[in-house]
Amino acid sequence: MNNHLIFKGTAFIASLFLSLPSFGQYSPEQKFEGEIGKTISESVPYKVQFNKKASPDAPNIVWILIDDAGFGATTPFGGLVETPNIERIANNGLRFTNFHTTAICSPTRAALLTGRNHHSVHVGLLTPAAVDFPGYDTRIPFEKATVAEILRENGYNTFALGKWHLTPVVENSQAGPFNRWPTGRGFDHFYGFHPGATDQWHPELWEDQTKLSLEPNTKHLNQLLADKAIKYIANQKSSNPEKPFFLYLATGATHSPHQVAKEWIDKYKGKFDLGWDEYRKVVIERQKKLGIIPANTVLPERNPNVKAWKDLSEKEKKAYAHFMEVYAAFYSYTDYEIGRIVNYLEQIDQLDNTLIAIVLGDNGASKGGTQTGTVNPQINRLKGEEHIDAILNARDIIGTDESSTDYPIGWAMAANTPFRYWKADANTEGGTRNPLIISYPKVIKDKGGIRHQYGHVIDVLPTTLELAKAEVPEVINGYKQKSVEGTSLAYTVENAKAASRHTVQYYEIAGSRSIYKDGWKAGAHHEIGETIDIGDGADASGRKVDFSKDVWELYNLNEDFNERINLAAKYPEKLKELQALFDEEAKKYNVFPLKDFTVHNMPAGRSIYGKSSVVTLYPGVDHLVGVSNPLYEGKSFSVKAEVELITGKEEGVLFALGGEKAGVSLFIKEGKLQFAHKSLSQTIHLVSDKPLPKGKSVFRFDYNFNGVDASGNAGTEALYINNEKVAERSFTKKEAAVFAGSKIDGTDVGRDLIAPVSDRYQVPFEFNGKLKKVIIEFVQKDKITISEEK
């Protein structure tokens, strides 16, 4: 080979590399200021500094984000849920009582991590609801760096643990791309899960970009996260003790499923027998005594659709109180594991030099538990007395891995004391107001101080940077940075009575929207439909979604901070002024076009497979969960397995989805091709009595969902060997579920992990023959969604 050509090619590649934008602030072409002679002895070295070192007094930084918590849940903010470790941090720092989030999870996380408004960084709604508009495509611009990218440029190691929920779902697989995963957005390490929720006993976990195995696990997710956080800190401080770290811990708690060990639940036995109405009365008085809320605060009336506790039957009271016991236990146990991390920082003499920010809720408490709470699909669908009896009989499984628990909305109302409403209501304080705690022992002298200045989740990043004396570089990874949009709250550290500097803030989630300015707030609730999109902005009924009919309300939060008195009729000009301001902010930050969950409820970005009509899976693929699952409810489909049988005695699972509560499985056992369909936790099998042919074959099952006819049938499913139908049955609507309730048991090829779909085999029942591939084909006609669980 021509060495001259090799040299020229190398030089050309080098010139291309050197012409690329520099990474970070430091170019690889920094000037060498030493001297180069022919030998080392004739030369003077010069160390080029590529990575900026943090200042000697730079603090470690820990951010903790709790999920679906509620303003009035925990003891440091007047609640009855015991959180001694969080309270300890609050008593060593500052409580912020007038702090706000975006009303739902992904948008809050995007705003927190970037210091910019959620639509401004393209995360106007949850990641599975992405559509191709700047405010909603869920692709956070690289010109708007995350706190991890910023701090890494300031000399920090960076770690993310727990819930992420920000990677576009079409990129949420082993195929990447990975530049919008945590490790692509500034974190040195990631240990956690991507979807909005995961089972606490059997979590979906990734480390960096690797899907972790699903071996039997006896540890709760909270313990796994705390163990890993301590490990990251120990490794970092042992390797480079002078270098600070940034730790972002986003717990799965207290999002459903509420799951925790029995010994924690037992601590709360009987403590919520007082009911949600009395809970609110007790907590509001505790909040006044603590100085968290004004002394003249009046408790709002009970939320619509929440029954008075006194009007419930004794059975209902017993059932509903236990849900709150489980929630409280879940929160207290989360606090315990947070305490382990804090205690470790103290043990290694790092606590005083650690800035801790805790956001106690990414939105208001969740209304997802409906009127009666949720246990599992079988119980959730029952009605009346039968439903309550089933809840009471399931008391011992509520909180275990056999349940997917969420509490009744009456407890969500109570956990949000003293505000009205809850999660997703971006027009209310109940949906957006959450406690913030900031502790930095070396700097904050007003231990246990309370601050009432207005703040928003976009303020945490600039506050952190100012207190840590860190800066946003002009260029990060080659991208010129756009301004942070939040306002630092550091000015409140020394001046508890300082006037608020964050004076204007818009809110919008799924059409519900509001605008805050100087203590006045105007907002409109948008009712979200439950139908799905069939294109052109219309829902399944052909109806256009109309935001113009939403009714606006007006409140003076300076005098009525928990929104009891609607002043819209009294001050129409003020309302118009704020509505016009909302439009200005909405245009500025990519809020328009308004979008709710009715329009585009099933967009192309719903899963990694988009709207593909054919999905091919190969043996050896990791267990697929969450958005990686290729199937979803209400779709007709066929599953074909291309198989080669040599002996005719091969056995095992070819394809399985789901397991414990619902699912389907195609498998071979005892020389027979079999199909299992589990729903209502009951399994029905189709079995072929035809001998299985040796050699190459295609085994298939078809699931044809047609809706519900007059006889109650919802569709048919059939089993095929080389296109010859060998078994068939009809199924009812109750038997139609394929995936509902199987949030953890995802898709497997050539095996069935976690829990078996069929009781005729034990997991993993790996196929011991030759499986070439599995092909899933969809029928595009269906528009009806079946769900076992609301």
Side-chain angles (χ1 to χ4, degrees), residues 63 65-68 99-119 121 123-126 140 163-166 248 359-364 423-424 431-432 434 456-460 507-509:
W63 283 6
L65 177 61
I66 305 295
D67 204 329
D68 286 4
F99 181 78
H100 300 77
T101 58
T102 75
I104 206 164
C105 47
S106 295
T108 288
R109 290 156 205 277
L112 172 68
L113 289 170
T114 65
R116 284 97 169 178
N117 287 298
H118 56 302
H119 295 87
V121 290
V123 190
L125 257 181
L126 302 176
I140 298 175
K163 177 174 170 177
W164 182 245
H165 210 202
L166 286 175
Y248 169 56
V359 180
L360 296 180
D362 53 356
N363 40 246
K423 176 179 179 177
T432 62
N434 290 282
H456 187 267
V457 66
I458 61 176
D459 298 341
V460 177
Y507 298 85
E508 193 278 338
I509 291 293

Side-chain angles (χ1 to χ4, degrees), residues 50-244:
F50 285 102
N51 297 308
K52 181 178 178 181
K53 296 183 70 172
S55 61
D57 61 345
N60 305 305
I61 299 169
V62 175
W63 283 6
I64 299 172
L65 177 61
I66 305 295
D67 204 329
D68 286 4
F71 186 92
T74 61
T75 47
F77 283 79
L80 302 184
V81 178
E82 297 175 9
T83 52
N85 292 292
I86 293 173
E87 191 163 3
R88 171 193 174 192
I89 297 167
N91 290 341
N92 205 28
L94 302 175
R95 292 171 172 87
F96 289 81
T97 69
N98 197 4
F99 181 78
H100 300 77
T101 58
T102 75
I104 206 164
C105 47
S106 295
T108 288
R109 290 156 205 277
L112 172 68
L113 289 170
T114 65
R116 284 97 169 178
N117 287 298
H118 56 302
H119 295 87
S120 180
V121 290
H122 299 211
V123 190
L125 257 181
L126 302 176
T127 49
V131 290
D132 292 328
F133 293 99
Y136 301 95
D137 63 25
T138 70
R139 300 179 186 276
I140 298 175
F142 296 106
E143 293 84 358
K144 298 179 179 180
T146 69
V147 61
E149 291 169 313
I150 294 168
L151 289 176
R152 192 151 71 177
E153 292 293 325
N154 281 270
Y156 278 72
N157 280 126
T158 54
F159 314 120
L161 298 103
K163 177 174 170 177
W164 182 245
H165 210 202
L166 286 175
T167 299
V169 293
V170 294
E171 300 176 5
N172 190 188
S173 77
Q174 289 89 334
F178 300 107
N179 56 349
R180 286 187 172 87
W181 285 47
T183 51
R185 294 312 308 254
F187 287 99
D188 297 329
H189 288 296
F190 167 60
Y191 180 82
F193 58 98
H194 285 280
T198 192
D199 189 284
Q200 300 294 305
W201 293 112
H202 308 287
E204 171 195 346
L205 284 176
W206 297 76
E207 185 150 25
D208 300 335
Q209 298 165 11
T210 301
K211 182 75 163 47
L212 299 183
S213 64
L214 293 164
E215 296 172 359
N217 169 51
T218 57
K219 291 185 178 181
H220 192 281
L221 176 59
N222 280 338
Q223 182 181 354
L224 294 173
L225 296 177
D227 287 349
K228 186 63 70 170
I230 291 169
K231 178 64 69 176
Y232 283 156
I233 294 170
N235 286 339
Q236 193 263 355
K237 285 301 177 186
S238 298
S239 303
N240 191 344
E242 303 304 318
K243 189 174 185 178

Side-chain angles (χ1 to χ4, degrees), residues 382-443:
L382 300 176
K383 305 296 181 184
E385 190 87 0
E386 184 182 15
H387 185 195
I388 300 304
D389 286 342
I391 293 174
L392 291 172
N393 290 334
R395 184 182 181 93
D396 289 341
I397 72 167
I398 293 175
T400 71
D401 59 356
E402 297 181 52
S403 69
S404 183
T405 303
D406 203 353
Y407 55 20
I409 59 173
W411 288 117
M413 174 190 68
N416 267 346
T417 304
F419 302 108
R420 300 184 303 148
Y421 303 113
W422 29 52
K423 176 179 179 177
D425 290 332
N427 57 306
T428 70
E429 294 292 286
T432 62
R433 194 149 171 169
N434 290 282
L436 169 68
I437 296 168
I438 295 180
S439 170
Y440 187 5
K442 193 171 76 172
V443 170

